[in-house]
Amino acid sequence: MIGGHMGQVLWVDLASGRLWAETPDEAIYRDFLGGYGFGARILYERQRPGVDPLGPEAILGFNTGVLVGSPAITPNRWTVTGKSPLTGGWGDANCGGYWGPMLKAAGHDAVYVQGCAERPVYLWIDEGQATLRDASDLWGRDALETEALLRERHPGAQVACIGPAGERLSCISGVVNDFGRIAARSGLGAVMGSKRLKAIVVRGTRPYPMADPARAQAERKRALAEMARNPRVKYFTKYGTINHTASSAFSGDSPIKNWAGVGLEDFPQAERISDDNMIALEYKGYGCWKCNIACGGHYRTDDPVFATPSTHKPEYETSAMFGNNLLNDNIHSLLKANDLCNRYGLDTISTGSTIAFAFDCYQHGILTAADTDGLELRWGDPHAIIALLHKLGRREGIGDVLADGTAKAAARIGRGAEQLAVHIGGQEPPAHDPRFAPSWGLIYAADATPGRHTQLAAYLLETGSQLPGLDLPAVEKYTYTGKGEVNALLNNLGQALFSAGICFFAATRVSFGHWPEMISAVTGLEYTVERLAACGARSAAVRTMFSVREGASPLQYHLAPRAYGRPPLQSGPLANVTVDVETLRHEYYLARGWDPATALPRPETLAALGLGDLPLPTATR
């Protein structure tokens, strides 16, 4: 087997209780590097088209990548894959923490689960031996409590589990590990809940296999020395992503007032929830497994109303969605919202966005107090925000209407609510405005998982960043032609790294040459930037083919008019900006060798990528 992989995948049929291991073909490891690319290749072949994502035929995958467990920088990301109940197409969700490396140490590169159990169960994997255990006593418990109980039951183990939102099939629920790190997007916690699978618990001590350990360790030492000299790394270790909550509100990067406001006018007090004001609530640092950046932290507040004894540092997305977008400057309520989402197992992006949608509906008279169980939804009211979050997490009253995200809630409410629903292809976009960096808008509209901000693209260049070590062209932010090649290249490289199991923040803070060098050292195969780009192109192709096959083509995505400047804002830094996403997407597909009329790779493109054996789906528009 190629180095960097255990060479074994565990399959679980919850209906029959059967568990078995398979050894995938080495070519899949070589060509996809693991992660969601590997998962897409498996599901495209093994899952029948058109299955109900919450039904027994749906397959849910838990995947590691080639660098997970390695000496690389940030070698800890794992990915959940499956058909998304939120969008109806390809779904994946990425997470850090400690669970992914432990799954590998337990002897498996991935776990695939099919069928539905008759009663709640959890999967226990100990040194390669897997069994199903009764989880009736865990069902109904929150994710943090569940993890604590399972760690006590299985000392030294790591736990990935769902909370009550996943159990109740909320389409904006995710999978939780490390007491609050969440594989949050695509609603895959609901898929896990539909299978009555409460948790996967893993423990192992098997060594990570490397072709050339000395070369790998030397490259890690070199990369660590480089990052130690980089002031951006030290700054990020201190602040993580919360350093720009306020600046993003003022620049237009962050949504304001359900994407209809202007930060400088509507939320000038954003600094109250940003930077040092947030850092003041940190009592201990945190880093994922073998991460030298360690951008996380443990936070607490003894506020009499929103007391939170301990929670992970709220990320920018959480602060922006529960703060800026709701005009909420109560920092203690942000910690409370973060903790509640972790416990319920909810995606903070989708949850905060859906709550803002509900507030907007209330302000427009589409919802009244009779609809909201007596809650008065006024912008900036932290008490109403937390009360509504509880209802959503429990699917109680109005929370049952909102628990599946903005698009489904708007369809249930009617009465013009659709006009206020900010979603792309069914998924709420993150707190980065396409009007601020148009190539974000491209990726939201072109990736197989719509509204996904962590897929690399030319927004790095549009916002003044780079990918260190790569010679990339300068781009003009609001010029919409001539970006196809750079968008395709950056996206392919990003998809390769994320399949390999690397953190987005490391990818942009160390010279890019670290990645092909490390992958070459651990696999025993020589990888170059070009070879990595080809791996990413395969992942992009198969993920999109899956979505098109399921009737969720990017060409059919609802693109939230507000987020793209239709109509444009009349004031602020983004005044009069309307994003020409169609030109960006057309050139992006051409640069990929895909047909812009179908969003599908051309047959010759698939053949060049070694995917000629995969049948192209019938395109719909």
Side-chain angles (χ1 to χ4, degrees):
M1 176 54 60
I2 298 168
H5 305 286
M6 310 308 290
Q8 187 164 271
V9 170
L10 178 67
W11 282 82
V12 180
D13 187 326
L14 292 171
S16 66
R18 181 182 171 225
L19 298 89
W20 70 99
E22 294 184 5
T23 300
D25 191 291
E26 285 191 5
I28 300 180
Y29 286 110
R30 179 194 67 218
D31 291 345
F32 288 91
L33 303 176
Y36 64 18
F38 184 99
R41 186 69 161 86
I42 295 293
L43 265 65
Y44 197 79
E45 293 187 84
R46 301 285 285 263
Q47 181 170 292
R48 181 179 63 82
V51 304
D52 179 356
L54 301 180
E57 289 187 273
I59 299 171
L60 185 64
F62 298 79
N63 308 270
T64 66
V66 63
L67 292 181
V68 173
S70 77
I73 302 299
T74 67
N76 54 56
R77 308 296 293 190
W78 53 279
T79 310
V80 188
T81 55
K83 183 176 179 179
S84 169
L86 184 65
T87 70
W90 173 255
D92 58 57
N94 186 283
C95 194
Y98 286 70
W99 188 85
M102 187 64 84
L103 175 62
K104 262 197 174 170
H108 300 291
D109 295 306
V111 177
Y112 290 95
V113 182
Q114 61 190 35
C116 298
E118 291 185 2
R119 64 180 187 277
V121 297
Y122 70 91
L123 176 64
W124 165 230
I125 306 172
D126 186 19
E127 297 290 1
Q129 300 301 309
T131 56
L132 289 169
R133 303 284 183 90
D134 182 68
S136 299
D137 63 321
L138 302 171
W139 204 254
R141 296 183 184 271
D142 74 44
L144 276 60
E145 184 182 13
T146 297
E147 181 171 352
L149 289 168
L150 286 170
R151 284 196 183 201
E152 181 179 353
R153 191 175 300 175
H154 303 287
Q158 295 294 329
V159 179
C161 65
I162 56 172
E167 294 175 4
R168 293 175 172 86
L169 309 187
S170 166
C171 290
I172 55 174
S173 62
V175 184
V176 186
N177 86 134
D178 215 27
F179 297 105
R181 315 304 295 180
I182 305 184
R185 308 240 71 193
S186 301
L188 296 174
V191 180
M192 195 167 169
S194 74
K195 297 183 177 303
R196 300 184 184 89
L197 178 63
K198 181 65 173 177
I200 301 180
V201 187
V202 296
R203 184 173 65 191
T205 57
R206 300 187 181 188
Y208 173 84
M210 283 188 280
D212 192 339
R215 181 182 177 186
Q217 290 295 345
E219 174 54 26
R220 176 177 175 81
K221 183 177 179 181
R222 185 211 64 76
L224 288 175
E226 175 194 335
M227 296 180 80
R229 298 188 299 269
N230 186 344
R232 292 181 64 233
V233 174
K234 295 178 182 178
Y235 185 82
F236 197 72
T237 296
K238 178 179 179 180
Y239 288 104
T241 59
I242 62 169
N243 70 302
H244 60 91
T245 304
S247 61
S248 290
F250 302 148
S251 68
D253 182 22
S254 166
I256 304 292
K257 206 174 181 181
N258 196 31
W259 296 82
V262 176
L264 291 169
E265 300 170 6
D266 297 301
F267 199 52
Q269 68 272 37
E271 290 180 353
R272 295 177 185 174
I273 60 172
S274 187
D275 302 275
D276 292 326
N277 287 321
M278 182 65 81
I279 287 290
L281 300 174
E282 181 173 317
Y283 69 89
K284 185 172 65 173
Y286 169 86
C288 296
W289 188 84
K290 289 196 174 180
C291 176
N292 62 302
I293 301 176
C295 66
H298 293 284
Y299 281 56
R300 64 184 169 212
T301 173
D302 58 0
D303 179 82
V305 177
F306 302 112
T308 307
S310 181
T311 188
H312 276 276
K313 175 191 289 183
E315 300 289 349
Y316 160 74
E317 298 293 340
T318 304
S319 296
M321 285 306 186
F322 279 96
N324 303 354
N325 203 30
L326 281 158
L327 307 189
N328 172 28
D329 62 4
N330 186 303
I331 198 168
H332 308 288
S333 70
L334 293 184
L335 263 64
K336 189 66 175 180
N338 190 60
D339 183 55
L340 290 175
C341 285
N342 293 344
R343 292 179 179 277
Y344 285 121
L346 286 165
D347 174 9
T348 59
I349 295 174
S350 287
T351 304
S353 185
T354 301
I355 289 174
F357 158 76
F359 273 58
D360 210 2
C361 286
Y362 191 90
Q363 293 299 311
H364 280 83
I366 296 171
L367 291 176
T368 67
D371 302 305
T372 61
D373 311 313
L375 286 176
E376 294 187 10
L377 306 183
R378 297 193 179 97
W379 293 116
D381 184 347
H383 306 280
I385 292 168
I386 296 302
L388 194 57
L389 173 52
H390 274 300
K391 287 181 175 293
L392 190 155
R394 297 168 181 159
R395 295 199 86 124
E396 293 177 350
I398 184 62
D400 189 39
V401 175
L402 302 174
D404 297 318
T406 305
K408 290 179 171 59
R412 291 166 182 159
I413 295 168
R415 304 190 297 273
E418 295 87 350
Q419 301 302 313
L420 307 180
V422 180
H423 69 91
I424 300 176
Q427 182 157 246
E428 294 73 18
H432 293 289
D433 198 312
R435 294 166 293 188
F436 179 75
S439 289
W440 256 316
L442 160 69
I443 292 303
Y444 297 170
D447 192 71
T449 55
R452 182 65 59 84
H453 66 296
T454 50
Q455 295 289 12
L456 294 186
Y459 62 78
L460 288 173
L461 311 178
E462 292 167 349
T463 56
S465 297
Q466 275 283 338
L467 210 57
L470 291 182
D471 185 16
L472 299 172
V475 300
E476 173 60 40
K477 180 184 286 193
Y478 295 116
T479 296
Y480 296 99
T481 58
K483 293 181 180 178
E485 294 289 343
V486 69
N487 271 316
L489 172 62
L490 285 170
N491 189 257
N492 285 339
L493 293 175
Q495 298 222 25
L497 294 189
F498 305 146
S499 288
I502 292 305
C503 175
F504 175 93
F505 299 120
T508 57
R509 284 169 175 80
V510 67
S511 293
F512 196 86
H514 171 68
W515 310 114
E517 174 65 16
M518 184 60 73
I519 294 174
S520 299
V522 301
T523 62
L525 306 172
E526 289 302 314
Y527 281 81
T528 61
V529 171
E530 292 74 22
R531 189 170 183 179
L532 285 187
C535 291
R538 294 185 190 99
S539 294
V542 182
R543 291 168 68 246
T544 300
M545 288 163 61
F546 184 100
S547 282
V548 172
R549 189 177 73 176
E550 298 302 318
S553 167
L555 298 178
Q556 298 172 302
Y557 289 165
H558 164 85
L559 301 181
R562 283 185 179 186
Y564 286 87
R566 300 185 183 93
L569 292 170
Q570 296 304 300
S571 61
L574 303 182
N576 302 314
V577 174
T578 298
V579 179
D580 182 3
V581 70
E582 293 304 329
T583 295
L584 288 170
R585 187 162 57 180
H586 182 87
E587 292 193 0
Y588 174 71
Y589 286 156
L590 287 178
R592 281 200 167 284
W594 296 8
D595 184 349
T598 64
L600 287 172
R602 300 186 191 277
E604 58 270 25
T605 300
L606 283 185
L609 293 172
L611 300 176
D613 60 314
L614 293 184
L616 278 166
T618 301
T620 57
R621 182 161 190 171

